[in-house]
Amino acid sequence: MTFESVRSKLKCFLIGEGLWDGVLEACDPKRADGEIASHVHDLLETRRLFPRFAGNDVKSAGASERFRLEGNKAFLNRNDLKAIRDYTSAVGHAPTGSEQLALALGNRSAATFAMGEYRHCLKDTELALSMGYPDSLKYKLLDRKGRSLLQLGSCTEAAEALKSALEYLPKAGFSSEKEAKIKDQINRTLFTCGENNIISEKVANNDCKLPTYKVESSKTIESASCLIDINYSSEMGRHIVATRDIEPGDVLAIERPYVSVLLPNSYTTHCFNCKTRCHSLIPCKTCTRVFFCSSDCLTSCSHTSHKVECSLLPALLAMGCNKMELLAVRVLVEVLKQGAQFDKFISNFEEIDKADDVMKGYKDGVYSSGDYASTHHLEGNKLKRKPYDLFSRAIIASCIVEAIDRCTDFFKKCEIDSDKTRLAKAIAGGLTLRYLQSMPCNAHEISEMCITHRTTKTDIESNEIGGAVYPLLSLINHSCDPNVVRHSYCGDAVVLTAIQVIKAGDQIFDNYGYHHAVHSIDERRCHLGSQYYFSCQCIACTNDWPLYNDLPDKVPTYFSGADVSRVEKSSERFVKLLKDILNGDTENKLPLLYEHLSLLHNNINRPWKQYSECQEAIKQCLSLKANHYIIHKT
């Protein structure tokens, strides 16, 4: 059963028994999360409404073969990305050390070679060869390995691989005529090894690196530059302000998440641990759906979060867990150290929970994204929620805790006696309910820009690959006219960049997904009110700015003393820049865009369409420096 079906059944029972009103009273927002979660858990338990939790994934040669054949179909149809996903699923389902695993790796290497991803191809060919790849097919794999090494400039190693391919060619069982033809092809490739040509990969995938600050780092915020600080007011709560004048392009923060999760649709293309794209993923040794970019990531994750999630994930996904629920589970697993630190958490809880409004999340005078306290105190708007909302979330929390209990050994260390185990489950339920309130108000997406170069045009699409908890970014308030933008880098890191002139003392504003140029004021207020519990009073809402297509673009209203001539010349240059950017040419464009945006900001009254166009151009250029994946199609 899914969470929705459990909720529906429980509600019907309670209404039928005349208990519904009493249960809603028990879910009063003023009650502690643990009390609400325990009450709902008991209701589900006594009425035996917990789902039948999905069992562990089992590796299967037959399932691996089915995915491999699907991959073959996609590969023959030149749908290389789908082929890679199917072959990766085949890798995940193949029993460890089996021929099916070697075959799946070999097939995947053909798809990555076809895409010009020679490093991924090389990784798979070497792994397949080490796993008993059939002798009758080895010539093909060794030939592919040699050609990959040749493309990467390793000519000596390429020649060795190609010579080995020739040695294995007779084992293929071809007719003498066909064998001679293949031998001739390999020898011609072998001949080019002496030319010592170095040919780089066709595709520069995920070729991004974190930017650096132009100024020194903050001494009081772990993940920020000295350009920003955390302030507090009774009206705004904790929020971020500029400590000095900020220009467009200034990097304000570079933050690693407290936790992050990969979304299921990215399991076969990205590393479950570091969230980077990888087309030569290696599988979890136990489950079938989780993959890693390296043995280091596999080992790291297997000793931490995946130690619990390996056997838990099937149940979570079957119940309907999405990004928010998966993040809540990941926070729980992280803070309790896979169930090993209940006692330590209980002893420290009062100190963590009692922090005053100003110092929430601080440790030794520093706001630390890596310390649990910063995540614990993220706003969940509990007192603004309705009892039914908390009832629904408590059902999810209870089902998650019960799944953890039945599918993992998370609570086994607490089994000194049944009372202690029950206490541990109550604590876990209360914490999970807390996170299920704070995640929708604070979680951020991990994104990747996909750029498809075709013969006639270039398509650019932003894809959500995961979700993360960034305690510093979560303190930034919303505006429908934000003055910063964030991009995902190197997997799950996030970089915050200014896209307006921001004066010292001004507040930093992010956008929570509802922008003045895209959504009407009614849409914005409706969504922001239902998810974040506030009514936006930003300049775009206060002055009811029009949507993008209706933004003024004829004659700007200049400020008194504006440098009109300079603005007009800069605008002419911007029109040419924008055309280049839309055609895919973003090289060295950012400094000119930043200069033009500053000029508009200081001389023209908003709203003004070119201002918005310049911001969007900056965002596009920045996105191509962040997580991105490039595909070349004819």
Side-chain angles (χ1 to χ4, degrees):
M1 290 192 294
T2 63
F3 297 131
E4 181 62 34
S5 60
V6 172
R7 182 179 65 179
S8 179
K9 286 192 174 186
L10 180 57
K11 183 178 178 180
C12 285
F13 269 111
L14 295 172
I15 291 174
E17 295 170 2
L19 300 174
W20 179 240
D21 290 341
V23 169
L24 290 182
E25 288 180 14
C27 294
D28 189 312
K30 294 178 182 177
R31 294 190 70 191
D33 289 321
E35 292 177 2
I36 297 173
S38 293
H39 182 74
V40 172
H41 185 280
D42 289 344
L43 291 172
L44 291 168
E45 189 172 52
T46 56
R47 287 158 181 79
R48 298 182 180 179
L49 288 178
F50 283 116
R52 291 181 180 179
F53 299 109
N56 290 354
D57 290 335
V58 177
K59 291 185 183 289
S60 159
S64 177
E65 186 67 9
R66 287 193 293 274
F67 277 112
R68 191 169 71 85
L69 292 176
E70 285 298 311
N72 288 345
K73 291 179 186 177
F75 186 59
L76 287 173
N77 290 325
R78 300 185 68 182
N79 190 345
D80 295 329
L81 270 179
K82 184 181 185 305
I84 287 171
R85 296 181 74 110
D86 287 335
Y87 289 142
T88 299
S89 292
V91 167
H93 282 81
T96 302
S98 66
E99 183 178 282
Q100 284 75 24
L101 178 55
L103 288 171
L105 290 166
N107 283 163
R108 190 170 65 182
S109 73
T112 50
F113 185 88
M115 294 187 71
E117 298 176 2
Y118 304 117
R119 289 181 176 82
H120 289 304
C121 176
L122 190 59
K123 181 179 168 184
D124 274 350
T125 57
E126 291 177 342
L127 197 55
L129 288 167
S130 72
M131 290 184 171
Y133 198 75
D135 284 354
S136 61
L137 299 173
K138 274 186 181 176
Y139 84 92
K140 187 185 297 186
L141 206 58
L142 286 162
D143 177 47
R144 193 176 301 137
K145 176 182 177 180
R147 286 185 289 152
S148 293
L149 287 165
L150 185 61
Q151 293 285 355
L152 295 170
S154 299
C155 296
T156 302
E157 293 177 31
E160 291 174 0
L162 292 167
K163 289 174 183 176
S164 295
L166 291 172
E167 292 175 7
Y168 274 97
L169 181 57
K171 296 180 183 291
F174 294 132
S175 66
S176 57
E177 183 180 349
K178 185 171 182 179
E179 181 178 320
K181 184 177 180 181
I182 295 173
K183 184 177 180 179
D184 181 59
Q185 290 172 343
I186 295 174
N187 276 322
R188 274 185 280 155
T189 306
L190 187 58
F191 178 77
T192 64
C193 292
E195 298 176 5
N196 204 33
N197 291 326
I198 298 177
I199 307 171
S200 63
E201 291 187 270
K202 295 179 194 173
V203 185
N205 299 321
N206 294 310
D207 183 20
C208 71
K209 61 179 181 179
L210 287 172
T212 56
Y213 299 133
K214 294 179 181 178
V215 294
E216 65 270 20
S217 299
S218 169
K219 291 181 172 57
T220 57
I221 306 174
E222 181 183 72
S223 303
S225 77
C226 66
L227 294 174
I228 59 175
D229 199 5
I230 301 171
N231 277 13
Y232 174 82
S233 72
S234 57
E235 179 186 358
M236 303 295 297
R238 291 176 295 164
H239 55 279
I240 308 298
V241 297
T243 59
R244 60 182 79 172
D245 290 349
I246 293 171
E247 291 295 322
D250 285 345
V251 175
L252 309 185
I254 302 171
E255 187 173 17
R256 289 284 181 183
Y258 179 70
V259 296
S260 65
V261 297
L262 193 64
L263 296 184
N265 63 359
S266 297
Y267 282 176
T268 53
T269 52
H270 291 74
C271 177
F272 193 75
N273 185 50
C274 69
K275 316 303 181 297
T276 56
R277 179 178 280 271
C278 177
H279 289 168
S280 53
L281 292 164
I282 58 177
C284 169
K285 295 177 181 179
T286 306
C287 71
T288 65
R289 65 185 80 205
V290 169
F291 302 88
F292 304 92
C293 66
S294 66
S295 56
D296 286 344
C297 273
L298 186 154
T299 300
S300 173
C301 205
S302 297
H303 289 158
T304 52
S305 59
H306 198 55
K307 185 177 180 180
V308 174
E309 293 173 350
C310 186
S311 56
L312 179 63
L313 204 54
L316 296 179
L317 297 179
M319 288 189 294
C321 280
N322 60 24
K323 178 173 70 175
M324 301 306 172
E325 287 86 32
L326 293 173
L327 279 170
V329 173
R330 183 62 65 84
V331 175
L332 182 73
V333 170
E334 173 61 27
V335 69
L336 296 175
K337 302 302 177 188
Q338 302 83 55
Q341 293 194 3
F342 270 101
D343 289 339
K344 182 177 179 181
F345 178 80
I346 292 169
S347 63
N348 292 338
F349 181 79
E350 185 177 347
E351 181 181 351
I352 294 171
D353 200 50
K354 71 179 182 181
D356 63 37
D357 290 333
V358 177
M359 296 307 295
K360 286 178 179 178
Y362 280 86
K363 183 178 181 180
D364 300 327
V366 176
Y367 189 83
S368 171
S369 301
D371 186 74
Y372 169 69
S374 59
T375 293
H376 181 81
H377 289 293
L378 294 180
E379 183 59 61
N381 292 299
K382 182 182 178 183
L383 295 178
K384 296 178 182 179
R385 295 182 183 273
K386 303 293 184 183
Y388 185 71
D389 178 274
L390 293 174
F391 168 76
S392 299
R393 294 179 192 278
I395 288 174
I396 297 172
S398 299
C399 289
I400 286 173
V401 169
E402 197 65 21
I404 292 173
D405 187 27
R406 296 189 194 182
C407 300
T408 77
D409 63 355
F410 191 80
F411 295 110
K412 297 297 187 292
K413 301 176 181 68
C414 302
E415 287 186 350
I416 298 173
D417 55 62
S418 59
D419 287 341
K420 188 168 183 181
T421 302
R422 189 172 182 82
L423 174 62
K425 289 176 70 174
I427 291 170
L431 289 173
T432 305
L433 178 55
R434 181 188 188 99
Y435 307 145
L436 289 173
Q437 295 168 71
S438 62
M439 291 302 106
C441 300
N442 296 281
H444 291 77
E445 73 173 35
I446 302 169
S447 60
E448 177 188 70
M449 190 66 71
C450 185
I451 304 103
T452 304
H453 291 303
R454 304 180 190 275
T455 305
T456 57
K457 65 174 182 175
T458 296
D459 295 326
I460 299 177
E461 180 183 13
S462 180
N463 297 317
E464 183 178 14
I465 62 170
V469 178
Y470 300 107
L472 176 60
L473 257 63
S474 295
L475 302 185
I476 303 175
N477 285 323
H478 164 86
S479 172
C480 301
D481 174 42
N483 51 23
V484 295
V485 67
R486 48 189 154 75
H487 287 92
S488 302
Y489 275 75
C490 306
D492 61 4
V494 67
V495 174
L496 192 72
T497 308
I499 54 169
Q500 287 187 20
V501 174
I502 308 171
K503 296 299 183 182
D506 285 353
Q507 189 170 170
I508 306 300
F509 287 109
D510 196 359
N511 182 263
Y512 291 4
Y514 304 100
H515 195 281
H516 77 83
V518 181
H519 305 93
S520 70
I521 187 169
D522 290 337
E523 285 181 287
R524 302 197 304 266
R525 286 182 170 168
C526 176
H527 289 293
L528 291 169
S530 63
Q531 183 172 351
Y532 299 101
Y533 298 92
F534 70 86
S535 177
C536 186
Q537 301 299 321
C538 72
I539 187 173
C541 289
T542 303
N543 295 335
D544 195 10
W545 285 2
L547 297 175
Y548 173 78
N549 287 335
D550 297 320
L551 287 171
D553 62 351
K554 299 301 181 186
V555 181
T557 303
Y558 287 96
F559 297 146
S560 175
D563 191 338
V564 176
S565 175
R566 189 181 170 199
V567 171
E568 289 176 344
K569 289 180 181 178
S570 183
S571 291
E572 289 177 9
R573 182 179 65 180
F574 170 74
V575 171
K576 296 177 183 177
L577 283 175
L578 185 59
K579 185 176 180 180
D580 289 342
I581 292 168
L582 292 176
N583 288 328
D585 179 12
T586 60
E587 195 69 28
N588 300 319
K589 299 295 189 296
L590 278 169
L592 298 174
L593 293 174
Y594 293 145
E595 180 184 339
H596 182 58
L597 188 63
S598 294
L599 194 62
L600 293 180
H601 191 97
N602 293 322
N603 288 274
I604 288 178
N605 191 47
R606 299 182 65 206
W608 179 244
K609 179 173 279 190
Q610 195 174 98
Y611 191 105
S612 295
E613 289 174 335
C614 189
Q615 285 184 317
E616 291 305 311
I618 288 169
K619 292 178 188 178
Q620 183 162 319
C621 291
L622 287 174
S623 70
L624 299 182
K625 292 178 175 292
N627 287 348
H628 66 279
Y629 179 62
I630 301 172
I631 306 170
H632 292 273
K633 287 190 175 183
T634 56

